């Protein structure tokens, strides 16, 4: 990942306080990026001065970008948040819908225990304060895929708040040096997902499938502490790993289990924050980084050519590689929040406050959940570094690829080779081949045992490293031969017989006396040729 | 009208958080309910004869709630309802925690994570005016606002 290519921004993030000179740019302040309050003010577009985009003056205007993320993660549970219908990605349309999900009159929400536990686990993993009492609210808006006309969420008092997430970024242009940064988590709340709408432009209608309506979501709202697409990508990746390690969400962006919206604005350091835009439709981590960087650049271009940024929602078009304004989302959105009248407050306990004789099915003990938390990615990486002495960058690489860590550990179990060697072969050779052939680790034609066998041969100096590469290529064909078999078939063994080697060298030297003279003059270091 | 005058005098006598003059044309600003919950906008009462709730507010509400304040009577009824509810402000609630809901002393029941419902697509689709191959059919995109005002009755009829 290269350093962000922001025009006018120095790669090392030290801001010189160069003020914007000249030009009476009408700068409007707006609340900073966090968008728990979604009231949008449409800023009127000022008269645009009649000149084309100017090139930025050298060493002059420095821009700082402010990026805040809102992430929705689908909770991995059997049934939905407030009803007993199944949660499944593929099923016939409207077959996983209960009367409550279709918001038929007379139905009431009943909270799913598993979803609350998932929220508490996630809150603890993100260092949040778990609110022992949290409240549910209704957020009203009209859309065809929201049958009730409102979404049950937790706006006033969410289940967890004030946390942090640490992530690693490559520093500057050196791909081998990682630094740790932190982003603050504003809050985590439980909310309902809406149904799916499929737009049928041919017949000018929309088809609604409510299978997804009512599925539990964890909304993670972050403070706008990020400054570029690379950081946002790292944050989302880390959150993905955490959620997957906890088992609270499968966090697969392609399947819509993890949805990210980014709020982006630019400003000159020292000046008030600029107007922000919201970017949606980010379906993969790569698009996320590209979209954010593109939007930052677009805003800089717009402002430098004297234009204004509208407070709007934009969608990322992967084909065009740019953000485009979204279909109208009705400028002013007033969600008319009100307390959910059908749900009492959600009360959580810890060991100290647990009421005696309480039904264990009906109470949730935060301490119990904390004790049962699995190992988080950051702890795993630390353990890898300590146990195997590998570089932090390598620990990140091992965890970032699904299944790679398991593969590595399986190889380690079966081989005598040094961890450093194993790491190198797994991260460079194996991963290189996988990427080149666009395969997942689970689809690798080389099994951990096969690789372990190969590394053993290398370790015992039975073959050279170049021969090992050849063996690897053979193994890649996946013909169920072991490394040892391939070596003997292709006669790739290093010659071990000392005498035979001496005779070979002698005959070589006798055959080429000129080379020997030259080499003899130059010194022993040239003998390898 | 007499009742209203009495009401105003009552409030003046109690002299609570809202200070106001005893003039006839009083502009009483209803405070946004900060301490209680973020319920709705502040409504501006302008007791100057015609509407106390402005046209902008009515239009805004019509868009948000998709209701049709068709007549003056409807608006007047709304004003009366707001005034009636406003009497709650006369109670001194300094230092008292707001109530979240009448259920706040109840225990929130936690359901275990089992699949117990669903598989009734046929029944649900019967409720819909238009259906296509097990999908509900809705108008394209979202309900576009300018057409709303005219379409209100037919929209509610569809669902």
């Amino acid at each position: 990942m290269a350093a962000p290519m922001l025009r006018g921004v120095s790669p090392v993030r030290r801001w010189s306080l160069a003020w914007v000179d000249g030009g009476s740019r009408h700068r409007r302040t707006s609340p900073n990026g966090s968008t728990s309050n979604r009231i949008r003010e449409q800023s009127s577009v000022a008269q645009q001065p009649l000149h084309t985009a100017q090139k930025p003056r050298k060493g002059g205007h420095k821009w700082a970008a402010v990026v805040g993320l809102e992430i929705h993660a689908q909770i991995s549970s059997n049934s939905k948040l407030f009803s007993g219908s199944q949660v499944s990605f593929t099923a016939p349309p409207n077959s996983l819908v209960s009367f409550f999900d279709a918001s038929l009159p007379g139905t009431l929400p009943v909270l799913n225990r598993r979803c609350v536990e998932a929220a508490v686990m996630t809150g603890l993993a993100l260092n949040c304060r778990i609110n022992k009492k949290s409240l549910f609210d209704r957020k009203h808006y009209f859309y065809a895929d929201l049958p009730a006309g409102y979404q049950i969420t937790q706006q006033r008092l969410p289940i967890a708040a004030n946390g942090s997430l640490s992530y690693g970024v490559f520093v500057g242009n050196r791909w081998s040096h990682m630094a740790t940064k932190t982003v603050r988590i504003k809050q985590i709340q439980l909310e309902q997902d809406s149904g799916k709408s499929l737009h049928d432009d041919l017949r000018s209608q929309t088809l609604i499938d409510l299978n997804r309506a009512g599925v539990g979501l964890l909304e993670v709202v972050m403070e706008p502490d990020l400054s570029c697409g690379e950081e946002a990508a790292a944050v989302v990746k880390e959150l993905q790993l955490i959620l997957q390690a906890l088992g609270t969400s499968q966090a697969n962006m392609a399947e819509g289990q993890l949805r990210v919206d980014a709020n982006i604005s630019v400003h000159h350091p020292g000046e008030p924050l600029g107007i922000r835009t919201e970017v949606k439709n980010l379906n993969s981590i790569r698009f996320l980084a590209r979209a954010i960087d593109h939007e930052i650049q677009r805003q800089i271009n717009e402002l430098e050519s004297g234009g204004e940024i509208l407070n709007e929602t934009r969608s990322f078009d992967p084909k065009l590689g740019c953000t485009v304004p979204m279909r109208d989302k009705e400028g002013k959105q007033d969600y008319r929040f009100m307390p959910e009248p059908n749900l009492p407050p959600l009360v959580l306990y810890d060991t100290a406050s647990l009421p005696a004789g309480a039904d264990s099915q009906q109470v949730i003990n935060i301490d119990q959940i904390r004790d049962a938390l699995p190992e988080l990615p950051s702890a795993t990486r630390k353990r890898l570094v300590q146990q195997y002495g590998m570089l932090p960058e390598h620990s990140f690489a091992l965890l970032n690829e699904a299944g790679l860590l398991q593969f590595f550990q399986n190889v380690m179990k079966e081989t005598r080779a040094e961890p450093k060697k194993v790491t190198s072969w797994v991260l460079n050779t194996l991963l290189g081949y996988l990427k080149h052939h666009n395969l997942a680790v689970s689809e690798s034609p080389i099994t951990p045992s096969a690789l372990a066998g190969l590394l053993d041969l290398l370790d015992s100096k039975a073959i050279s490293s170049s021969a090992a590469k050849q063996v690897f290529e053979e193994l890649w064909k996946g013909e169920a031969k072991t490394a040892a078999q391939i070596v003997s078939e292709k006669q790739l063994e290093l010659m071990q017989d000392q005498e035979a080697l001496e005779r070979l060298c002698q005959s070589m030297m006798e055959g080429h006396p000129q080379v020997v003279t030259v080499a003899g003059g130059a010194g022993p270091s040239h003998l390898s040729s | 009208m007499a009742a209203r005058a009495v009401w105003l005098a009552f409030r003046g006598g109690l002299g609570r958080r809202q200070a106001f003059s005893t003039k006839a044309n009083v502009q009483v600003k209803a405070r946004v309910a900060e301490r209680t919950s973020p319920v709705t906008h502040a409504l501006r009462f302008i007791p100057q004869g015609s509407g106390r709730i402005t046209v902008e507010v009515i239009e805004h509400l019509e868009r948000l709630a998709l209701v049709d304040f068709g007549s003056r009577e409807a608006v007047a009824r709304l004003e009366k309802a707001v005034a009636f509810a406003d009497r709650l402000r006369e109670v001194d609630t300094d230092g008292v925690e707001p109530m979240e809901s009448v259920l706040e002393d109840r225990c929130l029941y936690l359901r275990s994570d089992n699949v117990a419902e669903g598989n009734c697509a046929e029944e649900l689709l019967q409720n819909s005016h238009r259906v296509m191959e097990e999908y509900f059919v809705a108008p394209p995109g979202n309900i576009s606002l300018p057409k709303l005002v005219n379409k209100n009755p037919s929209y509610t009829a569809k669902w």
Side-chain angles (χ1 to χ4, degrees):
Chain A
M1 280 187 270
M5 312 270 245
L6 291 177
R7 208 165 48 157
V9 172
S10 56
V12 178
R13 297 193 179 109
R14 252 183 268 119
W15 307 116
S16 67
L17 292 179
W19 289 97
V20 179
D21 56 320
S24 51
R25 298 247 184 88
H26 179 40
R27 203 162 297 285
R28 236 168 274 172
T29 59
S30 79
N32 70 14
S34 68
T35 52
S36 50
N37 168 16
R38 288 250 185 110
I39 300 196
R40 283 174 226 277
E41 281 102 46
Q42 281 284 6
S43 52
S44 57
V45 180
Q47 286 288 355
Q48 297 218 8
L50 296 170
H51 56 74
T52 51
Q54 298 162 327
K55 284 209 171 129
R57 277 164 243 161
K58 279 213 166 97
H61 311 227
K62 295 212 192 280
W63 291 98
V66 176
V67 179
L69 297 177
E70 272 170 30
I71 300 176
H72 291 83
Q74 230 177 40
I75 300 178
S76 173
S77 61
N78 297 329
S79 55
K80 296 184 180 177
L81 182 59
F82 290 118
S83 71
S85 20
Q86 193 186 4
V87 174
S88 169
F89 185 55
T90 48
N94 290 309
S95 61
L96 307 176
V97 185
S98 69
F99 289 174
F100 172 75
D101 303 324
S103 81
L104 297 189
T107 54
L108 293 173
V110 186
L111 185 56
N112 180 339
R113 186 197 163 84
R114 156 71 185 158
C115 293
V116 181
E117 288 172 351
V120 173
M121 282 171 75
T122 309
L124 291 171
L126 294 177
N127 307 306
C128 296
R129 177 193 75 237
I130 306 290
N131 287 325
K132 293 233 185 74
K133 185 163 91 157
S134 57
L135 307 169
F136 289 99
D137 302 306
R138 287 186 184 180
K139 176 176 168 181
H140 299 83
Y141 64 95
F142 283 103
Y143 206 76
D145 61 15
L146 196 68
Y150 61 85
Q151 175 195 37
I152 301 181
T153 175
Q154 291 187 301
Q155 191 247 9
R156 283 173 296 157
L157 198 51
I159 192 166
N162 289 341
S164 66
L165 172 61
S166 296
Y167 60 102
V169 265
F170 290 105
V171 174
N173 278 320
R174 293 152 57 200
W175 294 23
S176 59
H177 188 54
M178 294 210 87
T180 310
K181 291 185 151 192
T182 310
V183 61
R184 290 170 295 161
I185 309 274
K186 179 155 188 263
Q187 63 189 52
I188 298 178
Q189 57 200 50
L190 280 168
E191 56 182 39
Q192 284 176 309
D193 206 348
S194 63
K196 265 211 188 109
S197 42
L198 306 165
H199 300 290
D200 183 356
D201 294 318
L202 201 61
R203 294 183 194 79
S204 192
Q205 62 190 13
T206 303
L207 303 177
I208 306 293
D209 174 13
L210 295 178
N211 282 348
R212 201 184 68 177
V215 172
L217 288 180
L218 284 175
E219 175 168 354
V220 181
V221 183
M222 299 184 176
E223 301 282 9
D225 293 341
L226 306 172
S227 56
C228 64
E230 185 194 354
E231 287 184 1
V235 165
V236 173
K237 183 70 194 173
E238 185 66 14
L239 183 64
Q240 231 183 12
L241 292 176
I242 291 177
L243 291 173
Q244 287 166 350
L246 290 174
T248 48
S249 170
Q250 283 159 27
N252 186 332
M253 278 185 93
E255 290 184 8
Q257 289 157 344
L258 190 71
R259 286 165 242 159
V260 182
D261 299 333
N263 294 290
I264 302 161
S265 72
V266 296
H267 70 126
H268 292 289
E271 293 190 12
L273 295 174
I275 308 262
R276 60 175 160 77
T277 61
E278 184 178 4
V279 180
K280 288 172 120 60
N281 191 29
L282 302 164
N283 295 334
S284 77
I285 295 193
R286 237 188 3 194
F287 287 165
L288 171 74
R290 275 175 60 194
I292 290 177
D293 286 334
H294 170 270
E295 177 62 16
I296 291 172
Q297 197 58 61
R298 184 194 75 89
Q299 289 196 5
I300 291 177
N301 291 344
E302 188 70 29
L303 289 174
E304 283 192 335
S305 63
E308 291 241 329
I309 305 295
L310 295 173
N311 183 337
E312 61 180 346
T313 305
R314 298 177 75 87
S315 169
F316 179 65
D317 187 328
K319 282 180 235 136
L320 297 175
C322 64
T323 58
V324 295
M326 255 180 107
R327 211 161 22 149
D328 167 56
K329 288 206 113 192
E330 288 126 55
K332 245 184 250 225
Q333 267 293 14
D334 179 358
Y335 292 112
R336 296 178 296 147
F337 284 98
M338 79 179 228
E340 169 58 57
N342 294 323
L343 292 170
L346 173 62
V347 178
L348 304 172
Y349 301 94
D350 51 25
T351 317
S353 61
L354 206 56
D359 180 0
S360 64
Q361 168 62 17
Q362 284 304 314
V363 293
I364 291 193
N365 184 341
I366 301 173
D367 290 333
Q368 212 171 45
I369 295 182
R370 188 185 287 116
D371 292 336
L373 280 181
E375 186 181 63
L376 293 178
S378 49
T380 310
R381 284 190 289 256
K382 217 180 275 185
R383 187 168 53 79
L384 287 174
V385 169
Q386 273 175 348
Q387 195 176 352
Y388 300 116
M390 67 172 71
L391 292 172
E393 296 81 66
H394 296 159
S395 67
F396 271 92
L398 274 178
L399 259 68
N400 280 352
E401 189 68 29
L404 195 61
L405 177 63
Q406 192 59 48
F407 194 101
F408 170 82
Q409 285 169 328
N410 289 344
V411 174
M412 284 303 302
K413 269 189 235 167
E414 295 188 33
T415 185
R416 291 185 314 265
E418 271 188 1
K420 276 199 169 46
K421 265 268 181 284
V422 181
T423 313
S424 170
W425 274 83
V426 168
L427 284 180
N428 297 332
T429 321
L430 177 70
L431 196 56
Y433 268 71
L434 286 172
K435 289 292 176 200
H436 184 70
H437 291 91
N438 210 2
L439 292 172
V441 175
S442 52
E443 300 165 322
S444 164
I446 300 187
T447 62
S449 317
L451 186 57
L454 170 57
L455 291 173
D456 275 343
L457 290 174
L458 196 56
D459 185 59
S460 59
K461 298 209 189 340
I463 53 174
S464 68
S465 47
S466 48
K469 291 257 160 67
Q470 281 181 277
V471 176
F472 190 91
E473 276 231 29
E474 275 301 311
L475 282 173
W476 185 262
K477 293 187 187 152
E479 287 162 11
K481 287 188 222 158
T482 65
Q485 283 173 322
I486 295 176
V487 165
S488 59
E489 272 176 32
K490 302 217 160 195
Q491 296 184 328
L492 291 167
E493 312 91 342
L494 283 174
M495 297 176 73
Q496 302 288 8
D497 185 348
Q498 186 77 352
E499 274 190 23
L501 277 171
E502 277 187 10
R503 267 182 269 130
L504 196 62
C505 290
Q506 197 67 27
S507 63
M508 283 295 296
M509 286 196 288
E510 280 161 12
H512 302 88
Q514 310 93 320
V515 181
V516 174
T517 329
V518 172
S525 58
H526 289 260
L527 275 176
S528 55
S529 53
Chain B
M1 271 311 162
R4 212 186 127 256
V6 167
W7 171 55
L8 277 174
F10 184 53
R11 296 183 70 174
L14 291 172
R16 291 299 163 192
R17 286 172 305 288
Q18 291 174 342
F20 57 86
S21 74
T22 51
K23 283 196 197 152
N25 282 350
V26 168
Q27 187 170 51
V28 178
K29 282 192 200 152
R31 277 147 123 244
V32 176
E34 298 149 349
R35 291 186 310 109
T36 47
S37 338
V39 176
T40 58
H41 277 353
L43 292 174
R44 186 157 292 183
F45 290 81
I46 306 170
Q48 288 160 359
S50 48
R52 277 189 290 167
I53 296 180
T54 65
V55 178
E56 289 88 43
V57 171
I58 295 294
E59 269 179 17
H60 186 63
L61 283 176
E62 284 188 337
R63 279 181 196 183
L64 286 181
L66 293 182
V67 296
D68 187 9
F69 285 94
S71 60
R72 276 297 324 150
E73 279 108 38
V75 179
R77 199 171 304 144
L78 176 64
E79 288 171 357
K80 285 208 190 91
V82 173
F84 178 79
D86 235 18
R87 291 165 64 184
L88 285 172
R89 296 180 194 277
E90 296 160 20
V91 180
D92 179 12
T93 55
D94 285 337
V96 178
E97 276 300 305
M99 180 178 80
E100 284 103 21
S101 85
V102 291
L103 301 171
E104 64 179 18
D105 289 333
R106 301 272 193 104
C107 222
L108 178 53
Y109 179 77
L110 294 172
R111 183 177 57 84
S112 58
D113 190 25
N114 303 322
V115 176
E117 296 175 282
N119 279 315
C120 49
E122 240 184 74
E123 273 181 284
L124 293 174
L125 290 167
Q126 279 173 2
N127 277 326
S128 178
H129 182 82
R130 280 174 65 198
V131 159
M132 187 164 110
E133 278 179 38
E134 298 183 325
Y135 286 96
F136 294 99
V137 174
N142 202 359
I143 308 113
S144 49
L145 286 174
K147 296 185 201 153
L148 247 191
V149 180
N150 304 324
K151 252 195 185 170
N152 261 333
S154 59
Y155 171 81
T156 47
K158 250 191 186 156
W159 298 103

